């Protein structure tokens, strides 16, 4: 909520922090000195905060070109005796995984923590992935905080554990912890001001012979989890029913039990370390329980580990009745394991398990929609007013229509992934991982042997270009894949909040650095590259038509700064609709500007049927003026 | 001091409702409450429906999400979004402060969807809850000098209604803490305009 609070040197003071801020603060208090990351919601803010605190706390922080490089850089700091942090989302952890699975074998030196932000309900992701499987696969212990205070405390603990066991430790947050704000009591930062001396000391090798030692470490960590009480038992000791929960699900379960009046008969076990399990304690904790209910997001991860644990200890523990995602008792309206949990889902699930009716919230105002037809129109996400992507997709779609051979556009993730929806005229036909549109385009572009003749375009962002596209272009050049790569260059990593990338002239800390030139990189591969302005729709469209038939890969850079950035620094030009020239509904265009172009600032006057500009939203790009067949939209410079 | 107060701030991405919810939480803390505030940002910035939950509490910190039917106060930045939230989270005791300026979904602008009749939206809100306060916050924000401070006009309006037990001084404290000196003035001005507008309405 406030970066200033993260940097306060006021031990004991209680401040409001988001989970992301609390992790940053916890890392600082733990003496973490080196942070590297690639932006990804819901965790992008962590490195931003640390980068802004580099001089105050003597830190190093960088936006790396991708998550694998970020993890490798952070590991190097740890090898050299400097506590380090890398920050990922599950998609980023996939990218880093090849390194992380090896890193567990080699081990680390100074404490190294990997923060992962999972996104149940995929609020700002293209899929719901549970990163805990990846951590377990990599043999890395997982801590899961309930709220901001725990996010800070467990981050600090994670550094201690990592350093003691010489193994990276994962702190897994979900969006509702990353982006939720609650009170945190600040710790001391005085002790971390000692200068740190980094040095290489011994070989750091990953080899299969390290496997027994790694498994030994995992067993030690399970014991440590018991010794350190990495769990909290809430509610009656003699309860025969127990909810086993992690993260914010602990709070959802507690509130649901209160609402249902079950809080005096059902207990909650909140696990702070969800892998490996605190097995020594679990035997005692589960003794005398009859029913076990699981509350976790996203996959039944704890559920699978506990049920397997219980099976092995059946002789001591007896047989439980389990209620979880696997047997469909804990489920969102979309199904078990789909979407985030909340108190309502826990109320419904617990009511069903306990054979109660759902409490009557007939006080609810659900029938307030009756007078407006029972339902409300949903809001499609849209490119911002003035977004260069809207103009780019208009040009690409027009070019492919003119070309006439069923050409299509492949894409990937970023703001421009919205090209698959209304705001991008349903232009984008594939969305997977960072840069994957280029690899897929290359695949299509090498199908000539099988009578494939359709033109192929793949779009990528500028940050994505540095992250994952260069190797794909190298491959396309070598294997002569025929397609047009369009780089939607808005000079920033827009989707995640405008972080710099290697093409920027400022680094994460705001220090001036030489900006890489993507044209030179592409020319260096001997690939034809052209730059146009996406606001100039006709020139862009014609250039696409010129480039498409050329052999092999070629690149068109559509360069215009993100309109959200521009709107904050430049006084916009004023765009308006001449009400005399606009023919409105009677024009052959049938309100092209508001109906088809899809800019939220192009509105329609419902009384006159004529186009208007919403001046509160318009940023003055003027692209709609170039589309209006009646020439009714005017652009006034320098207003 | 009440045990728990549940506030939902609803609107459309880009309206500054996240900042408004943060201000409610900070003012709550200034008034001596504990606070939990949750929002989603990222993709939802791009014109989608956005809501944040603010939960003020006396003793035990609740989870970040308010259960259905349990909103004590809804701060609606957009009429249709307010009704959407009311249908799911409201109850007959809920109090609503709503900005009357509509933001049309692009489907409505494209002529494919219909925005419900504004009078019916506002009537339905009034019919179903304990108290409703309406204002054109965007217009009032222009008076303060910039339409983007409509969010602080709304926060001022909530303060003016007295629907939550947080005083003006607590909001001012929170604002002073949060805003840089450069933008504090216009935000304070917007807050006061919102508060005064509502106070006048109530008095009349």
């Amino acid at each position: 909520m406030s970066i200033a609070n993260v940097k306060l040197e006021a031990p004991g003071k209680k401040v409001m922090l988001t989970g992301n801020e609390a992790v940053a603060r916890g890392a600082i208090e733990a003496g973490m000195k080196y942070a590297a990351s690639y932006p990804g919601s819901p965790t992008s803010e962590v490195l931003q905060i640390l980068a802004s605190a580099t001089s105050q706390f003597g830190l190093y922080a960088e936006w790396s070109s991708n998550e694998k490089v970020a993890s490798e850089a952070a590991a190097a700091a740890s090898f050299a005796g400097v506590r380090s942090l890398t920050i990922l989302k599950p998609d980023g952890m996939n990218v880093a995984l090849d390194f992380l699975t090896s890193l567990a074998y080699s081990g680390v030196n100074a404490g190294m923590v990997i923060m992962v932000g999972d996104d149940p309900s995929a609020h700002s992701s293209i899929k719901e992935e549970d990163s805990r499987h990846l951590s377990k696969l990599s043999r890395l212990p997982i801590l899961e905080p309930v709220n901001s205070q725990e996010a800070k405390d467990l981050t600090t603990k994670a550094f201690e554990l990592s350093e003691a066991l010489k193994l990276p430790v994962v702190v897994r947050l979900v969006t509702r912890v990353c982006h939720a704000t609650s009170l945190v009591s600040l710790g001391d930062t005085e002790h971390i001001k000692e200068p740190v001396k980094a040095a290489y000391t011994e070989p750091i090798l990953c080899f299969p012979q390290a496997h027994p030692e790694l498994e030994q470490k995992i067993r030690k960590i399970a014991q440590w989890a018991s010794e350190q009480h990495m769990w909290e038992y809430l509610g009656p000791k003699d309860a025969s029913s127990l909810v086993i929960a992690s993260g914010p699900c602990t709070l959802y379960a507690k509130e649901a039990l209160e609402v249902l009046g079950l809080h005096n008969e059902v207990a909650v076990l909140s696990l702070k370390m969800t892998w490996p399990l605190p097995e020594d304690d679990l035997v005692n904790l589960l003794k005398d329980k009859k029913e076990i209910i699981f509350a976790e997001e996203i996959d039944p991860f704890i559920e699978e580990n506990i049920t397997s644990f219980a099976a092995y200890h059946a002789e001591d523990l007896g047989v439980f009745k389990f209620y979880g995602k696997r047997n469909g008792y804990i489920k969102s309206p979309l199904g078990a394991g789909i979407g985030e949990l909340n108190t309502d889902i826990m109320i419904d699930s617990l009511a069903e398990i306990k054979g109660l009716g759902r409490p009557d919230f007939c006080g609810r105002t659900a029938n307030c929609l009756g007078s407006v037809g029972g339902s409300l129109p949903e809001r499609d996400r849209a490119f911002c007013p003035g977004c260069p992507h809207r103009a780019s997709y208009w040009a690409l779609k027009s070019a492919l229509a003119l070309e006439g051979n069923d050409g299509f556009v492949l894409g990937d993730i970023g703001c421009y992934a919205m090209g698959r929806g209304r705001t991008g005229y349903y232009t984008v036909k594939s969305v997977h991982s960072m840069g994957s549109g280029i690899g897929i385009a290359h695949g299509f572009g090498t199908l000539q042997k099988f009578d494939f003749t359709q033109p192929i375009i793949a779009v990528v962002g500028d940050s994505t270009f540095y992250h994952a596209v260069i190797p794909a272009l190298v491959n396309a050049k070598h294997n002569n894949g025929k397609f047009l790569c369009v780089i939607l260059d808005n000079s920033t990593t827009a989707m995640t909040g405008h972080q710099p990338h290697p093409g920027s002239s400022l680094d994460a800390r705001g220090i001036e650095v030489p900006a890489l030139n993507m044209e030179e990189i592409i020319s260096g591969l001997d690939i034809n590259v052209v730059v146009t302005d996406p606001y100039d729709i006709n020139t862009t469209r014609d250039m696409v038509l010129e480039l498409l038939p050329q052999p092999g890969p070629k690149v068109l850079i559509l360069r215009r700064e993100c309109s959200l950035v521009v709107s904050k620094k430049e006084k916009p030009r004023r765009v308006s609709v001449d009400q005399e020239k606009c023919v409105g509904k009677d024009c052959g265009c049938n309100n092209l500007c508001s109906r088809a172009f899809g800019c939220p600032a192009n509105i329609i006057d419902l009384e006159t049927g004529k186009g208007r500009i919403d001046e509160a939203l318009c940023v003055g790009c003027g692209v709609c003026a170039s589309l209006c067949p009646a020439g009714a939209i005017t652009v006034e410079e320098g207003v | 001091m009440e045990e728990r107060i549940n506030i939902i701030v609803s609107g459309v991405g880009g309206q500054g409702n996240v900042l408004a919810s943060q201000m409610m939480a900070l003012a709550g803390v200034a008034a001596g409450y504990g606070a939990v505030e949750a929002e989603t940002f990222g993709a939802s910035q791009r014109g989608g429906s956005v809501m944040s939950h603010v939960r003020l509490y006396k003793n035990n910190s609740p989870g970040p999400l308010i259960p259905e039917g349990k909103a004590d106060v809804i701060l609606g930045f957009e009429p249709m979004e307010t009704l959407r939230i009311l249908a799911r989270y409201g109850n007959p005791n809920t109090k609503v402060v709503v900005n009357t300026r509509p933001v049309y979904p692009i489907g409505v602008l494209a002529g494919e969807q219909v925005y419900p009749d504004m009078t019916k939206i506002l009537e339905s809100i009034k019919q179903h809850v304990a108290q409703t306060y309406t204002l054109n916050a965007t217009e009032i924000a222009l008076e303060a000098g910039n339409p983007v401070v409509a969010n602080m006009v709304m926060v001022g309006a909530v303060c003016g209604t007295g629907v939550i037990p947080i005083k003006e001084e607590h909001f001012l404290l929170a604002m002073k803490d949060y805003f840089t000196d450069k933008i504090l003035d216009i935000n304070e001005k917007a807050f006061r305009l919102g508060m005064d507008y509502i106070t006048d309405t109530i008095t009349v």
Side-chain angles (χ1 to χ4, degrees):
Chain A
M1 180 176 280
S2 151
I3 294 181
N5 282 340
V6 181
K7 301 194 250 182
L8 273 183
E9 301 192 37
K13 187 172 167 144
K14 280 197 162 189
V15 294
M16 290 288 280
L17 295 182
T18 64
N20 282 342
E21 289 164 350
V23 168
R25 174 71 187 199
I28 291 171
E29 288 180 10
M32 183 281 304
K33 294 293 176 193
Y34 191 106
S37 178
Y38 181 84
S41 294
T43 57
S44 311
E45 296 80 20
V46 181
L47 192 111
Q48 271 170 304
I49 294 160
L50 293 170
S52 76
T54 49
S55 47
Q56 185 181 346
F57 296 109
L59 316 176
Y60 174 85
E62 74 168 40
W63 285 122
S64 310
S65 57
N66 66 45
E67 296 86 351
K68 180 168 177 283
V69 176
S71 306
E72 288 158 348
S78 160
F79 298 150
V82 178
R83 283 191 170 187
S84 67
L85 174 70
T86 189
I87 305 121
L88 310 168
K89 72 182 290 184
D91 312 63
M93 196 167 191
N94 297 337
V95 173
L97 197 64
D98 196 12
F99 176 66
L100 295 179
T101 48
S102 320
L103 185 61
Y105 272 62
S106 76
V108 295
N109 181 18
M112 175 175 173
V113 171
I114 299 165
M115 179 212 184
V116 190
D118 284 5
D119 191 15
S121 282
H123 293 288
S124 44
S125 307
I126 57 159
K127 57 182 184 272
E128 286 185 279
E129 179 177 333
D130 193 326
S131 72
R132 294 178 299 180
H133 300 294
L134 307 183
S135 300
K136 184 181 175 186
L137 173 80
S138 311
R139 320 306 280 160
L140 304 178
I142 308 164
L143 306 183
E144 292 194 55
V146 164
N147 56 19
S148 297
Q149 179 69 55
E150 266 195 22
K152 182 180 90 77
D153 296 344
L154 290 183
T155 301
T156 312
K157 250 204 149 83
F159 278 101
E160 288 165 21
L161 175 63
S162 168
E163 201 154 297
L165 272 295
K166 304 293 177 198
L167 193 66
V169 172
V170 173
V171 179
R172 183 238 196 190
L173 275 67
V174 292
T175 303
R176 295 294 179 185
V177 178
C178 290
H179 285 177
T181 308
S182 53
L183 286 168
V184 175
S185 177
L186 298 179
D188 187 16
T189 50
E190 212 34 57
H191 65 287
I192 60 158
K193 299 217 167 146
E194 302 284 311
V196 176
K197 170 95 176 83
Y200 163 81
T201 51
E202 55 184 0
I204 318 132
L205 301 171
C206 164
F207 52 93
Q209 290 76 3
H211 198 178
E213 191 194 340
L214 176 57
E215 295 306 323
Q216 184 60 31
K217 282 184 186 179
I218 302 300
R219 283 190 288 276
K220 273 191 194 162
I221 290 166
Q223 285 164 7
W224 178 90
S226 284
E227 284 158 24
Q228 298 276 320
H229 285 291
M230 295 303 284
W231 48 266
E232 187 179 11
Y233 186 95
L234 307 153
K237 284 212 162 52
D238 57 352
S240 64
S241 301
L242 180 72
V243 179
I244 300 185
S246 73
C249 301
T250 300
L251 300 169
Y252 304 147
K254 262 181 68 187
E255 188 167 356
L257 290 171
E258 280 162 26
V259 169
L260 292 166
L262 292 169
H263 53 293
N264 289 325
E265 58 182 277
V266 179
V268 178
L269 175 64
S270 176
L271 291 177
K272 312 301 171 190
M273 179 179 279
T274 53
W275 191 85
L277 292 168
E279 298 201 356
D280 295 348
D281 285 347
L282 269 181
V283 175
N284 294 324
L285 287 165
L286 300 190
K287 221 168 232 167
D288 306 324
K289 303 295 178 218
K290 301 282 174 254
E291 292 183 322
I292 296 178
I293 301 153
F294 297 100
E296 61 183 318
E297 298 170 312
I298 301 168
D299 290 338
F301 177 81
I302 299 174
E303 182 177 331
E304 280 168 7
N305 290 322
I306 293 267
T307 49
S308 150
F309 167 83
Y312 274 102
H313 292 81
E315 253 176 72
D316 303 324
L317 294 174
V319 177
F320 298 101
K321 174 73 186 154
F322 291 112
Y323 299 94
K325 291 182 177 175
R326 281 196 58 172
N327 54 7
Y329 279 94
I330 307 293
K331 59 177 182 294
S332 76
L334 294 172
I338 304 164
E340 60 185 2
L341 291 191
N342 56 37
T343 304
D344 294 299
I345 293 171
M346 287 313 298
I347 291 172
D348 285 340
S349 301
L350 288 165
E352 188 188 346
I353 291 165
K354 287 290 174 189
L356 306 169
R358 196 189 200 278
D360 188 9
F361 288 138
C362 65
R364 281 179 57 201
T365 34
N367 53 352
C368 71
L369 297 182
S371 62
V372 293
S375 70
L376 298 171
E378 292 299 323
R379 284 181 193 271
D380 279 348
R381 286 171 182 173
F383 289 130
C384 304
C387 178
H389 298 335
R390 179 182 290 105
S392 297
Y393 283 126
W394 188 278
L396 293 182
K397 197 173 171 76
S398 310
L400 289 176
L402 283 171
E403 204 275 344
N405 286 303
D406 297 325
F408 57 99
V409 178
L410 306 164
D412 65 57
I413 51 183
C415 288
Y416 54 96
M418 292 197 294
R420 68 191 183 281
R422 174 205 293 276
T423 196
Y425 320 115
Y426 307 99
T427 308
V428 170
K429 306 301 184 193
S430 83
V431 175
H432 298 87
S433 57
M434 298 277 291
S436 60
I438 304 296
I440 296 173
H442 168 74
F444 276 115
T446 45
L447 291 175
Q448 291 86 354
K449 200 173 184 173
F450 310 103
D451 285 340
F452 187 92
T453 54
Q454 291 159 275
I456 307 148
I457 296 175
V459 293
V460 296
D462 42 334
S463 193
T464 309
F465 172 78
Y466 295 105
H467 179 287
V469 169
I470 297 169
L473 281 180
V474 169
N475 177 63
K477 180 66 188 176
H478 177 65
N479 291 304
N480 200 33
K482 185 182 177 189
F483 65 93
L484 173 63
C485 165
V486 174
I487 302 176
L488 304 169
D489 180 5
N490 58 6
S491 309
T492 186
T493 317
M495 189 79 188
T496 46
H498 303 109
Q499 295 82 7
H501 57 59
S504 312
S505 52
L506 297 176
D507 72 5
R509 297 162 293 177
I511 295 169
E512 257 188 69
V513 289
L516 293 192
N517 179 313
M518 62 170 73
E519 291 94 306
E520 283 179 12
I521 294 172
I522 298 160
S523 302
L525 301 175
D526 195 22
I527 293 174
N528 184 21
V529 54
V530 181
V531 184
T532 64
D533 175 358
Y535 280 0
D536 185 347
I537 283 181
N538 293 341
T539 305
T540 299
R541 181 197 60 210
D542 294 347
M543 186 52 68
V544 171
L545 287 170
E546 190 183 319
L547 290 170
L548 270 178
Q550 293 177 11
K554 47 270 165 186
V555 176
L556 173 62
I557 300 172
L558 301 183
R559 182 166 289 148
R560 251 298 162 174
E561 195 169 23
C562 172
S563 62
L564 269 183
V565 175
V566 173
S567 67
K568 280 175 189 151
K569 64 184 182 191
E570 276 173 27
K571 193 162 186 177
R573 300 178 293 169
R574 177 177 292 160
V575 178
S576 50
V577 180
D578 185 328
Q579 295 296 301
E580 283 180 12
K581 279 195 191 160
C582 176
V583 201
K585 282 179 186 150
D586 301 328
C587 181
C589 83
N590 188 18
N591 295 109
L592 181 91
C593 56
S594 60
R595 177 182 55 83
F597 187 51
C599 175
N602 286 114
I603 54 175
I604 184 169
D605 187 322
L606 292 172
E607 278 176 27
T608 63
K610 294 186 182 192
R612 293 191 82 92
I613 302 294
D614 184 334
E615 292 214 21
L617 294 176
C618 179
V619 298
C621 76
V623 174
C624 58
S626 71
L627 299 176
C628 176
I633 305 181
T634 54
V635 180
E636 235 177 302
E637 293 288 341
V639 182
Chain B
M1 208 176 208
E2 291 175 51
E3 182 55 48
R4 199 175 280 175
I5 304 164
N6 292 328
I7 306 161
I8 297 185
V9 181
S10 90
V12 178
Q15 286 190 308
N17 31 17
V18 167
L19 176 63
S21 62
Q22 292 179 339
M23 211 47 65
M24 307 285 287
L26 289 173
V29 171
Y33 283 96
V36 185
E37 186 261 351
E39 63 216 39
T40 51
F41 45 86
S44 49
Q45 278 182 343
R46 318 292 189 249
S49 304
V50 178
M51 71 167 160
S52 13
H53 291 194
V54 182
R55 311 190 76 180
L56 305 180
Y57 61 91
K58 205 167 83 182
N59 290 311
N60 295 315
S61 171
L65 298 174
I66 296 169
E68 291 181 7
K70 296 279 189 185
D72 298 308
V73 174
I74 296 172
L75 184 53
F77 279 50
E78 205 280 341
M80 184 173 82
E81 292 311 312
T82 310
L83 199 59
R84 199 192 301 279
I85 294 304
L86 185 63
R88 189 164 166 200
Y89 294 97
N91 65 63
N93 297 320
T94 303
K95 292 149 191 168
V96 174
V97 182
V98 55
N99 180 13
T100 54
R101 186 182 196 272
V103 178
Y104 298 115
I106 53 169
V108 168
L109 296 175
E112 291 164 18
Q113 298 171 323
V114 179
Y115 191 94
D117 183 81
M118 184 60 71
T119 329
K120 283 188 181 161
I121 292 180
L122 297 175
E123 267 174 15
S124 182
I125 295 173
K126 281 177 194 163
Q127 245 174 44
H128 286 90
V129 300
Q131 290 168 33
T132 307
Y133 303 88
T134 59
L135 71 160
N136 187 329
T138 316
E139 214 165 78
I140 297 172
L142 281 170
E143 212 180 302
N146 193 331
V148 301
V149 293
N151 54 358
M152 293 310 293
V153 173
M154 291 296 290
V155 174
V158 170
C159 179
T161 60
V163 294
I164 47 173
I166 302 175
K167 297 199 178 76
E168 180 188 354
E169 62 195 78
H170 301 127
F171 281 102
L172 292 176
L173 263 173
M175 280 190 268
K176 206 161 268 165
D177 249 16
Y178 190 91
F179 293 114
T180 58
D181 290 347
K182 211 173 116 193
I183 55 166
L184 178 63
D185 271 1
I186 186 168
N187 280 289
E188 272 187 3
K189 191 173 172 193
F191 175 85
R192 278 183 213 286
L193 285 170
M195 194 173 64
D196 293 347
Y197 178 87
I198 285 294
T199 321
D200 291 350
T201 319
I202 296 171
T203 322
V204 172

